[in-house]
Amino acid sequence: MGILIGLVPALGWGLQALVMQKIGGKYTNKTLGMALTTIVFGIAAYFYLRPEMTAALLWGSILSGLSWSLGQILQTKSFDLLGVSTAMPVSTGEQLVLTTLLGAIALQEWTHAWQYFVGLPAIAIIVLGVAFTTVEDNKTEKGGSSNLKKGMLILIISSIGQAGYAVLPRVFDLNGGDVLLPQSIAMTAGVMLLSSFEKDNDMFGKKTWQNMLTGICFSVANVGLLFSNQINGVAVGFTLSQLNVVVSTIGGIWFLHEVKTKHEMKYTMWGLALVVLGAVLIGITK
């Protein structure tokens, strides 16, 4: 039962990318729809947990939520440029590297030599895996190389935002469930602010409300990780959650019909395996 609960975040976050691409709409619709759903889950969590709204809780949640809004908007834009099956392994790998380094160095979570002995090679394995997933055969279609470069740049900035979302609650030493309501409000406000700069953003169009289904996938995964960490411990819970990259990558190829050559597919599968192996090794350090 513990393992099944641990797989809920992997399934939810993996399906999130597939559902939003299937529903469609502008990146503003996709991201705002997700954020609006998190408020519903945040309200439910608040009345269940009744957390005390301290200054640390508010600041940590707000900064985390705003970081998410930047990271998620850019990640969503990258799906249209690169496809889910290319963007998700890169995004997951970059987030793993950034959150691990921030945790190890800034938060001093690695206090033993063996953690560096295992963790640093794990980071190198993830970087290699990410490089494998970006291998492309020579493209003749217009914009192929340009989209790859633009998408990779966007993903770097996106991953910084997503890492902030993950790390900031730990900086303020916050309980995962307590942050959900103020964090979700900041997420929604951040998405609306950033979307307002986009011409014809269609923020409250039909596709936004449809993409609340995407938000359900995200929110169920988020809550599932809280339960998984309690039941399985952070090491196992964290590692199992990173299997979302398998769901989203393979789903992008099979469910969204993203085209890859035989050569690209081989490197993608090897890269995916390396990213998962790196995640498992990082999980051990926790």
Side-chain angles (χ1 to χ4, degrees), residues 169-247:
R170 284 148 60 186
V171 171
F172 287 85
D173 195 24
L174 303 177
N175 178 283
D178 292 349
V179 309
L180 291 178
L181 179 58
Q183 185 186 65
S184 65
I185 294 172
M187 289 160 71
T188 305
V191 169
M192 292 176 66
L193 176 63
L194 292 171
S195 297
S196 67
F197 292 101
E198 179 75 15
K199 187 179 179 182
D200 300 325
N201 55 64
D202 193 31
M203 262 195 282
F204 294 101
K206 178 182 177 181
K207 289 296 181 180
T208 295
W209 306 112
Q210 291 177 345
N211 269 289
M212 288 186 75
L213 179 60
T214 305
I216 292 175
C217 295
F218 172 82
S219 298
V220 168
N222 215 18
V223 173
L225 184 61
L226 298 178
F227 284 105
S228 177
N229 285 346
Q230 290 177 354
I231 295 170
N232 300 311
V234 174
V236 176
F238 170 84
T239 302
L240 290 174
S241 73
Q242 298 311 304
L243 295 176
N244 74 84
V245 70
V246 177
V247 177

Side-chain angles (χ1 to χ4, degrees), residues 76 115 204:
T76 303
Q115 290 173 305
F204 294 101

